[in-house]
Amino acid sequence: MSNLPEMPLPLDRKTFRDAMANLAAAVNVITTDGEHGKAGFTATAVCSVTDSPPTLLVCVNRNASVYEAFKGNQTVCVNTLGNGQQALSNAFGGKTSQAERFQAGNWSTGVSGAPVLEQAKVSFDCKVTSTVSVGTHDILFCEVLDIVQHVEADVLVYFDRRYHALGRAMTR
């Protein structure tokens, strides 16, 4: 006889997704360009890993139409959106063609070669240094090569399956 506690049954996808809807996150447009094509998608699955060297992680679904471009190019720009950029988020998150997605904003080219959104709150231009596969997604570990910030912009967050604006608090 074992004294180990009985393990609960695995959670179903709906329960997990419903719970994750309660986790507020910044809305980002993730872009790449290079030999394997120009592509982008909307994501909230982005976070800081370490500041030495400055590294982010970005999650991308292996079944997504953009997957091969990101896997092949090994460059990423994380463009954090501001309030008023919901349409851009929707364009990069839907079935819009890649060409139409990039027509929705003004872009420059980062040091990695990835597109940088000129109106982003902050853009992290990166090279992918390693990848780990978990379930349906790849986790891209991205070393930050350059950062462009616009401090006057509000941040767009996604919470409870809706967009919300998050501004800077007034300080004395």
Side-chain angles (χ1 to χ4, degrees), residues 81-139:
L81 300 185
N83 188 30
Q85 293 180 308
Q86 294 89 337
L88 185 65
S89 172
N90 290 336
F92 275 83
K95 299 295 181 191
T96 310
S97 73
Q98 292 299 320
E100 289 175 291
R101 291 177 187 195
F102 284 97
Q103 289 173 356
N106 296 321
W107 303 89
S108 59
T109 302
V111 295
S112 74
V116 176
L117 179 64
E118 292 178 6
Q119 305 86 357
K121 167 68 175 170
V122 62
S123 296
F124 300 90
D125 189 23
C126 309
K127 67 177 179 179
V128 178
T129 56
S130 64
T131 304
V132 175
S133 294
V134 177
T136 57
H137 285 64
D138 274 4
I139 303 167

Side-chain angles (χ1 to χ4, degrees), residues 27-161:
V27 179
N28 305 280
V29 168
I30 315 299
T31 58
T32 190
D33 199 359
E35 198 174 297
H36 297 269
K38 187 178 195 178
F41 67 99
T42 299
T44 55
V46 172
C47 76
S48 156
V49 175
T50 181
D51 64 359
S52 185
T55 303
L56 303 176
L57 69 76
V58 175
C59 299
V60 60
N61 191 320
R62 286 191 303 279
N63 292 321
S65 61
V66 299
Y67 176 74
E68 291 301 324
F70 280 87
K71 180 181 174 188
N73 291 338
Q74 294 293 294
T75 63
V76 168
C77 188
V78 175
N79 299 282
T80 303
L81 300 185
N83 188 30
Q85 293 180 308
Q86 294 89 337
L88 185 65
S89 172
N90 290 336
F92 275 83
K95 299 295 181 191
T96 310
S97 73
Q98 292 299 320
E100 289 175 291
R101 291 177 187 195
F102 284 97
Q103 289 173 356
N106 296 321
W107 303 89
S108 59
T109 302
V111 295
S112 74
V116 176
L117 179 64
E118 292 178 6
Q119 305 86 357
K121 167 68 175 170
V122 62
S123 296
F124 300 90
D125 189 23
C126 309
K127 67 177 179 179
V128 178
T129 56
S130 64
T131 304
V132 175
S133 294
V134 177
T136 57
H137 285 64
D138 274 4
I139 303 167
L140 310 178
F141 290 89
C142 309
E143 184 177 338
V144 179
L145 305 174
D146 193 26
I147 297 172
V148 178
Q149 296 186 73
H150 298 98
V151 295
E152 70 281 354
D154 289 338
V155 175
L156 184 64
V157 296
Y158 200 70
F159 171 71
D160 197 25
R161 296 185 171 94

